[in-house]
Amino acid sequence: MDQVWILPAIPAVIFIICALFGRLLPRQGDFLVILGGLVLVGLVFSMFPGFQHAYRDGLFAPDGSNVFAFDWVNIGQGFFTIQFSTYVDAITMVMLPVVTIVALMVMIYSVSYMHGEPRYFWYYAVLSLFIAAMLTLVLSGNLIQLYLAWEGVGLASFLLIGFYWERQSAAEAAKKAFITTRIGDVGLLIGIILLWRATGTFDIQSIIAAAKSGAIDHNYLTVAMLFLFGGAIGKSAQFPLHVWLPDAMEGPTPVSALIHAATMVVAGVYLVARFSPVYAEVLIARDFIFYTGLLTAVMAGTMGLVANDIKRVLAYSTVSQLGFMFVALGTGAVGAAMFHLFTHAFFKALLFLGSGSVIHATHAQEVEQLGGLRKKMPWTTATFIIGSLALAGIPVFAGFWSKDEILAATLHDAPMWTYVTLAGTALLTAIYSTRLVLLTFFGEPKDPHAFDHAHESPWIILGPLVLLATLATVAGFFALDQVGQALGFVGGIGQLVYLHEPHHFTQPDWLLASIATLTALAGIGIGVAFWHGDARRAVAARAWAPDLHALLVNRYYMDKMYQGIIDHAILGLAGLVAWFDKRIVNETGVDGGAQTIGYFGYRLKFLQTGRIPNYALGMAVGMVAIAIVAFSS
């Protein structure tokens, strides 16, 4: 565990090689990237024995073997020090398999999906850059290194969303994602500076220890942690900075699976989970996290009901599920949040790659153009249904276990109305999941042209789908202590990731599990009732409430509100500043001063006549003026 710096170093080196020499390499270097992905997965799994042996009496006690650090910048003999450091614990060990396994599946899948693209080598190069930045982020032991990796992830995301830069929509989506997330990143940077000012260090564990010991003023700490959460709001697409994620679907579909379902968007969840001991000391900030996640989950769930682009439905689902994770973090259930992050990565990556299989086969992604694909794409249909069942929370699939843990935490540690609201959002999840499956794979083909060209995807695409479907089925069982112990751990995920004390989990709370299952089944039933066949009930519901439908289709008009603010407030203020800069600063202050001096210089030169009587007269007049002033005073 003390040599984990090797993990981000591998894709970083591959990025440099592919970016510089990708066009010259066989297959433009894709084999090199995939080989690197295989090595990463192998190295991550080779870490597990050391991680398992670092537990003493059920508690993580690695004796420093999980830390690696050296001074990177040292100014003033320790006055200002930045280290390159890595830190491995249970939270890190949850993230590493997620990042590496999903990344490897995306690499293999992309061989067929991105075949023939003119910038094929650049796609794989930036993919390696993203993985290097993401691994650095989750392994960082200090905030400066984390922030640099955080920005690296944002840069790679910008490049991949705008991969098809010749399309105006993709270029605009990339800029929107970059600028929106930068707003949150400013908050993160302010939070980092405030914590350094209070503690004199960037080391995360030292900051956590200082906060827990009361060395930081409570109000000061609250403000700092709220700013820190600002970074999570931007990167994890939470209200009100959620607007970038649906538009980010303009990027290649494998990118959506990797960055916008399983890795980058959960960076905010990871950040808050990492600082969960500090948030436990500032409950106002933790409550803010809770209600932000709850509002985001509900809003995104309602928008997913009316979206027609297959990838946008999944994007809204991602935003909503991230909201679930923040709700868990807001109750202090960090284990439940990380567990849902773990399971969500597999079934959401499966759904995105499944949607890519549909797009690859039909060249259509509007659900109103699809339908009946189960007849021509049975493997894609089967795996997509498995992912949808996991998303809806149907036993025994992975989403059931993790979502049930979040609902249980909300019931026990939050007001009852929040539990009802979150359960209602889970109902919406089942409804729009069912809608998506029915409109895409069942019923009659809506576009004969798309249906006629449909075909099952090649096995290089189906292979990752089958593996992810398997993980989406079995990953949830890691909640059980018996399963964790069988795998060599001290117990299930509740005994690995926790805030105050390990959570033993040997069997579900059957009452809560039954309520969650009935809720999911009710959602599926509603979805079938409204969208089976010709979707007559859904059409009638749209006609019955056109204003509500328009509100949801227009995303609560938040994009238009932001555009209005930009057009009228920001650009108006920018115009005023530009006028002031041009007229007052440049023309009056800079150019005006120079022109004034030039003017007086031009006029004064005429005093130089070269005649001595004129100079004598001037001196005499001056002496008289001085004398008058002197005697008058």
Side-chain angles (χ1 to χ4, degrees):
M1 291 187 292
D2 59 347
Q3 300 296 318
V4 290
W5 59 267
I6 296 174
L7 294 179
I10 292 172
V13 171
I14 292 175
F15 161 70
I16 295 172
I17 294 173
C18 290
L20 296 178
F21 310 108
R23 291 188 185 276
L24 306 176
L25 294 172
R27 297 186 54 83
Q28 298 191 41
D30 63 351
F31 73 95
L32 186 62
V33 177
I34 295 173
L35 179 62
L38 286 168
V39 171
L40 288 177
V41 173
L43 289 176
V44 167
F45 277 93
S46 71
M47 291 172 59
F48 279 109
F51 174 72
Q52 292 164 337
H53 294 154
Y55 279 81
R56 304 288 185 274
D57 298 325
L59 299 177
F60 187 61
D63 297 328
S65 63
N66 63 324
V67 178
F68 171 79
F70 65 86
D71 283 353
W72 184 15
V73 176
N74 193 330
I75 300 174
Q77 297 181 344
F79 170 74
F80 183 82
T81 303
I82 301 175
Q83 290 186 322
F84 177 90
S85 61
T86 61
Y87 182 84
V88 177
D89 64 355
I91 294 177
T92 311
M93 294 305 294
V94 171
M95 293 294 298
L96 289 178
V98 167
V99 175
T100 54
I101 293 175
V102 175
L104 179 60
M105 295 300 100
V106 168
M107 292 171 187
I108 297 171
Y109 179 100
S110 298
V111 170
S112 177
Y113 191 90
M114 300 298 291
H115 177 71
E117 291 290 343
R119 296 181 293 276
Y120 186 76
F121 82 97
W122 179 242
Y123 170 83
Y124 271 99
V126 180
L127 209 61
S128 295
L129 173 64
F130 170 81
I131 296 165
M134 190 68 203
L135 288 173
T136 302
L137 192 157
V138 301
L139 292 169
S140 293
N142 70 83
L143 284 173
I144 290 294
Q145 183 180 326
L146 182 146
Y147 185 76
L148 294 175
W150 190 277
E151 295 302 320
V153 167
L155 172 62
S157 173
F158 168 77
L159 295 173
L160 288 170
I161 295 171
F163 180 77
Y164 300 115
W165 52 263
E166 60 273 12
R167 293 201 319 238
Q168 182 68 21
S169 58
E172 293 295 333
K175 289 188 290 184
K176 183 176 182 179
F178 190 81
I179 293 171
T180 305
T181 54
R182 291 294 79 70
I183 295 172
D185 293 352
V186 171
L188 173 61
L189 181 59
I190 293 172
I192 291 173
I193 293 172
L194 290 175
L195 291 173
W196 171 78
R197 182 174 176 270
T199 62
T201 181
F202 293 108
D203 182 72
I204 294 174
Q205 298 307 312
S206 298
I207 292 171
I208 292 174
K212 293 177 68 176
S213 67
I216 307 175
D217 178 74
H218 183 79
N219 293 331
Y220 184 97
L221 184 62
T222 300
V223 172
M225 299 313 293
L226 285 173
F227 273 116
L228 207 72
F229 179 55
I233 289 176
K235 203 68 96 189
S236 292
Q238 296 297 284
F239 177 86
L241 300 181
H242 63 281
V243 293
W244 68 268
L245 186 58
D247 289 345
M249 298 302 108
E250 290 289 341
T253 302
V255 170
S256 302
L258 176 64
I259 296 181
H260 307 124
T263 51
M264 188 191 89
V265 292
V266 299
V269 178
Y270 164 80
L271 177 67
V272 176
R274 170 63 68 207
F275 280 92
S276 56
V278 182
Y279 281 107
E281 302 297 321
V282 285
L283 297 182
I284 293 176
R286 203 169 79 173
D287 287 344
F288 186 79
I289 294 171
F290 177 86
Y291 289 109
T292 299
L294 186 64
L295 177 59
T296 305
V298 175
M299 286 186 63
T302 56
M303 290 186 283
L305 286 173
V306 299
N308 285 321
D309 186 298
I310 186 172
K311 290 173 64 177
R312 282 183 181 269
V313 176
L314 297 175
Y316 288 124
S317 170
T318 298
V319 175
S320 183
Q321 296 306 303
L322 290 167
F324 272 81
M325 298 175 205
F326 281 110
V327 166
L329 291 169
T331 63
V334 61
M338 293 303 298
F339 186 32
H340 197 50
L341 183 156
F342 180 74
T343 61
H344 174 266
F346 298 130
F347 64 72
K348 189 53 65 66
L350 168 62
L351 288 170
F352 267 110
L353 294 183
S355 70
S357 179
V358 171
I359 297 169
H360 183 265
T362 64
H363 301 288
Q365 58 191 77
E366 295 286 333
V367 292
E368 294 179 350
Q369 299 175 337
L370 302 172
L373 293 180
R374 74 186 188 283
K375 302 171 185 175
K376 290 196 170 185
M377 306 179 69
W379 282 95
T380 300
T381 302
T383 54
F384 199 94
I385 289 175
I386 290 173
S388 298
L389 292 173
L391 173 61
I394 296 296
V396 294
F397 300 99
F400 161 76
W401 301 91
S402 56
K403 195 177 295 185
D404 189 59
E405 283 291 282
I406 295 176
L407 289 170
T410 306
L411 179 63
H412 294 149
D413 299 316
M416 175 60 72
W417 69 267
T418 61
Y419 169 78
V420 174
T421 302
L422 201 63
T425 306
L427 176 71
L428 292 177
T429 304
I431 293 174
Y432 65 66
S433 300
T434 305
R435 170 182 178 264
L436 185 59
V437 170
L438 292 175
L439 294 179
T440 305
F441 297 102
F442 292 86
E444 295 300 320
K446 305 175 189 68
D447 185 344
H449 178 75
F451 181 77
D452 291 341
H453 286 80
H455 57 83
E456 186 59 275
S457 297
W459 276 104
I460 200 166
I461 285 180
L462 293 179
L465 294 183
V466 172
L467 179 58
L468 287 171
T470 303
L471 291 172
T473 303
V474 304
F477 289 100
F478 192 51
L480 297 172
D481 289 348
Q482 302 93 315
V483 174
Q485 292 166 359
L487 295 173
F489 297 97
V490 295
I493 194 167
Q495 293 197 55
L496 299 179
V497 183
Y498 52 87
L499 182 58
H500 298 296
E501 57 185 19
H503 172 57
H504 298 277
F505 188 87
T506 56
Q507 64 180 12
D509 183 324
W510 294 111
L511 177 59
L512 291 180
S514 299
I515 294 173
T517 302
L518 291 174
T519 301
L521 291 174
I524 293 175
I526 294 171
V528 172
F530 274 78
W531 281 282
H532 81 285
D534 57 2
R536 187 177 305 170
R537 287 190 177 91
V539 174
R542 181 188 306 179
W544 176 71
D547 293 337
L548 177 60
H549 182 264
L551 178 68
L552 299 180
V553 168
N554 288 284
R555 314 178 193 181
Y556 292 93
Y557 297 100
M558 290 198 64
D559 287 272
K560 293 184 178 180
M561 180 189 72
Y562 285 144
Q563 193 64 53
I565 292 173
I566 292 171
D567 291 343
H568 298 97
I570 296 178
L571 293 181
L573 179 61
L576 179 62
V577 171
W579 177 87
F580 182 84
D581 180 66
K582 180 181 179 181
R583 300 295 183 186
I584 306 301
V585 177
N586 285 341
E587 295 182 359
T588 302
V590 180
D591 296 342
Q595 290 172 0
T596 300
I597 293 173
Y599 173 80
F600 282 106
Y602 175 78
R603 291 299 179 187
L604 290 172
K605 75 178 182 179
F606 292 109
L607 297 177
Q608 301 294 327
T609 63
R611 298 178 180 179
I612 294 177
N614 292 346
Y615 299 155
L617 177 61
M619 287 188 288
V621 171
M623 292 298 294
V624 171
I626 294 172
I628 292 172
V629 171
F631 286 110
S632 63
S633 61

